[in-house]
Amino acid sequence: MYETNYHRASSVAEAASLVSGSDDGKLLSGGQTLIPTMKQRLASPSDVVDLRHIAELKGITVSGSNVKIGAGTTHAEVAQSAEINGVCPALCGLAAHIGDPHVRNMGTIGGSIANNDPAADYPAAMVALEATIHTNSRDISAADFFVGLFETALGDNEIVTAVSFDAPSRAAYQKFPNPASRYAMAGVFVARGSSGTRVGVTGAGSDGVFRASDMEAALDANFSAGSLESINVDPSAMLADMHGSAEYRANLVKVMARRAVEAAA
Amino acid sequence: MASISLTVNGRQISGEAEDRTLLVEFLRGDLGLTGTHVGCDTSQCGACVVHVDGNAVKSCTMLAAQANGADIKTIEGLAGGGELHPVQKAFHENHGLQCGFCTPGMIMAATDMINRHGASLDEATVRAELEGNICRCTGYHNIVKSILAAAAEMSGTQQAAE
C-alpha cells in the first residue's frame, strides 16, 4: 500500500470538509473494497476519511412500509434487522449473502452503492425497490444514481447518508454466485408493489445494474415464473469475461429471474 | 504517523504506526502477537480473523488507525488460566486441524459464530458461515465437527459423538 493519511470524521460535515481539503482523498466506510484495492496499489488516495464513527450515518428506521437505512449500516446489521425483516425480508436475505460473515461485519450499504461494483448485490435491490439515495446535498432516485460500471451520479466529495424505499408487498432476490469469488454472476431482485413489478439485475449487464423492463411488463400481466418463458435476454448487453460468456450470463439472468419470482410468489 | 491506543486481549496498548499500517501488521509486528496469521493477504482466506468490539473481522482488511480505541481479541486472548477455550479444546479433540495455519482464523470465526447462534447452530449454518475461512488441508469436515462440539459444550448440552 502506498502512503496515505488517515482521518476520522465525527460528522458528515467534517468528513466532507476533510475530503474536499485533501489532494486526492477518498471516503472510507467499511473499507472491504477500498482497503484491498489500496493494498494492490490499484488505488492510492492521498487521504482516507473514515466514516465509521459518524453517528448520523447509523441506524434503521421503519415506519409503516417506509424503510430508511443509514449509509453506515453494515450488511450484518441489515441481515439481522427484525424491523426490516418485518416488511422486506428479501433485503435481509440479500444482505446475509454478501461476501462472508467477517466482510458483512465491516461492509456498509452506503459504501456498496457508492462503489457500484457491477457484481454487487445492493444495486439490484435499490433499482427494483425504486429507492431514494440520500446524500449530504440532495436526494437521488436509484434509477439516476447508478450510471455505469463503478460509476454513480455522486459528485466529488458528495457523501451518501442514507437510502429509503417503500417496502413492496412481495419481493425476492436470487443470485448465482461465482463458484470461486462468490460475487454474483447474475443476481435478480424482483419487487411487486402498488405501482407494479420491478426487476433489478446485477452481475450480468455490460453497463452495470439495470432494470429488465420487458420482464416487468410480462410479470405485471401475470406474476408467475412461466410468464418469463417468452422473454429473450439480449446477450449483446451482457458482460463477457473469463467467468462466463455473454450468452451464459443472459441465460443466467432468466434463470435467476424465474427463481426470484417463484420465491416471491 | 498515527497514535494507536487499543485494548488487546484485555490489556491497554499504545503505540505509533504509519497511517497505512494494517491492523494485522500492527498486531504481529508491533505487538508480537503472531498467532493471527496472514494467509492470502487479499481478504479471502480468513486466517487473520480477530474480534473488533465483539465482531469477527479480517484484520488484513482494516487499518490499525481504524481500530484506534477498539477492543480487540486475538487467538492469544482466548484461553484463560492455563485452560484451553472450549473451541480450542474441540479443535484439539476432533482433529480440527492438520497444518494449523488457518486454525487461528477458524477458531476466531467459530467463536463469533457460536456467540451469535448458540445452541441453535447446525451443520448447514456452520458450513455457510465458514464462507470466509479457507482451509487447504482438512476438507472442513473435522472443522465443522469441532465447531458443533464446541457449540454444544458452550451451551451446556451434550452431543453424542458422530
Side-chain angles (χ1 to χ4, degrees):
Chain A
M1 188 186 298
Y2 290 109
E3 278 190 65
T4 192
N5 297 300
Y6 170 87
H7 309 271
R8 181 175 293 187
S10 54
S11 69
V12 172
E14 189 191 3
S17 112
L18 281 166
V19 75
S20 62
S22 65
D23 279 347
D24 180 23
K26 277 249 178 229
L27 299 162
L28 175 65
S29 189
Q32 301 301 286
T33 298
L34 182 56
I35 302 279
T37 310
M38 289 169 69
K39 285 168 67 176
Q40 292 179 70
R41 296 188 164 185
L42 296 171
S44 52
S46 63
D47 298 76
V48 288
V49 178
D50 188 352
L51 306 175
R52 278 176 69 241
H53 301 268
I54 301 178
E56 60 195 295
L57 293 180
K58 310 262 183 212
I60 293 165
T61 324
V62 176
S63 121
S65 67
N66 188 263
V67 179
K68 189 166 188 178
I69 304 171
T73 308
T74 64
H75 309 324
E77 288 164 344
V78 172
Q80 289 154 23
S81 166
E83 282 177 294
I84 299 176
N85 197 50
V87 293
C88 190
L91 195 68
C92 300
L94 176 151
H97 290 94
I98 299 173
D100 59 53
H102 324 311
V103 167
R104 293 195 286 274
N105 279 333
M106 287 293 287
T108 65
I109 188 167
S112 170
I113 63 170
N115 187 48
N116 193 17
D117 189 305
D121 299 300
Y122 268 130
M126 294 297 103
V127 298
L129 294 167
E130 297 189 301
T132 302
I133 316 298
H134 306 272
T135 79
N136 55 338
S137 58
R138 58 188 167 141
D139 293 343
I140 311 170
S141 71
D144 295 332
F145 182 85
F146 300 104
V147 173
L149 307 179
F150 298 103
E151 207 184 331
T152 66
L154 289 170
D156 284 349
N157 310 325
E158 189 173 0
I159 300 174
V160 176
T161 55
V163 306
S164 64
F165 61 89
D166 273 319
S169 51
R170 297 175 189 179
Y173 179 67
Q174 290 289 315
K175 74 170 159 181
F176 186 88
N178 180 303
S181 75
R182 314 305 285 167
Y183 269 100
M185 301 273 292
V188 178
F189 196 102
V190 172
R192 194 177 189 203
S194 51
S195 55
T197 303
R198 303 286 179 261
V199 179
V201 181
T202 190
S206 57
D207 204 24
V209 67
F210 67 93
R211 284 226 338 239
S213 44
D214 46 356
M215 286 190 181
E216 294 176 357
L219 291 169
D220 272 340
N222 176 15
F223 193 81
S224 73
S227 62
L228 297 175
E229 285 306 328
S230 58
I231 304 286
N232 281 314
V233 180
D234 180 7
S236 72
M238 296 292 116
L239 283 169
D241 56 24
M242 64 185 284
H243 305 296
S245 65
E247 291 74 17
Y248 180 71
R249 278 194 170 83
N251 183 59
L252 271 186
V253 169
K254 208 164 145 175
V255 175
M256 291 306 115
R258 270 203 308 260
R259 288 185 189 173
V261 170
E262 277 162 6
Chain B
M1 296 290 277
S3 296
I4 315 279
S5 294
L6 301 163
T7 307
V8 180
N9 300 329
R11 223 156 40 99
Q12 275 295 326
I13 306 274
S14 293
E16 291 263 306
E18 278 192 282
D19 289 14
R20 63 177 160 178
T21 306
L22 297 167
L23 178 59
V24 70
E25 295 168 343
F26 188 73
L27 292 171
R28 290 176 55 87
D30 293 63
L31 306 184
L33 295 171
T34 53
T36 302
H37 288 171
V38 179
C40 66
D41 208 22
T42 54
S43 316
Q44 295 172 63
C45 79
C48 66
V49 169
V50 301
H51 297 182
V52 176
D53 294 327
N55 295 316
V57 305
K58 291 177 172 172
S59 62
C60 82
T61 312
M62 184 176 198
L63 300 172
Q66 278 178 283
N68 197 7
D71 187 359
I72 313 274
K73 185 171 265 190
T74 71
I75 187 73
E76 288 91 345
L78 274 192
E83 291 280 316
L84 288 179
H85 184 276
V87 178
Q88 293 173 308
K89 194 164 135 272
F91 271 68
H92 176 68
E93 288 171 354
N94 293 281
H95 195 50
L97 60 141
Q98 288 181 28
C99 88
F101 194 85
C102 71
T103 311
M106 287 288 178
I107 288 179
M108 297 313 284
T111 313
D112 175 68
M113 211 185 285
I114 295 168
N115 287 345
R116 282 182 289 111
H117 294 282
S120 70
L121 200 56
D122 59 15
E123 182 180 341
T125 309
V126 172
R127 288 188 183 274
E129 294 234 347
L130 283 178
E131 176 121 41
N133 293 81
I134 295 174
C135 172
R136 296 292 77 160
C137 304
T138 63
Y140 300 96
H141 187 71
N142 285 354
I143 292 175
V144 175
K145 210 164 136 187
S146 303
I147 296 172
L148 290 172
E153 188 186 330
M154 287 167 75
S155 58
T157 60
Q158 290 298 314
Q159 185 183 260
E162 260 185 67

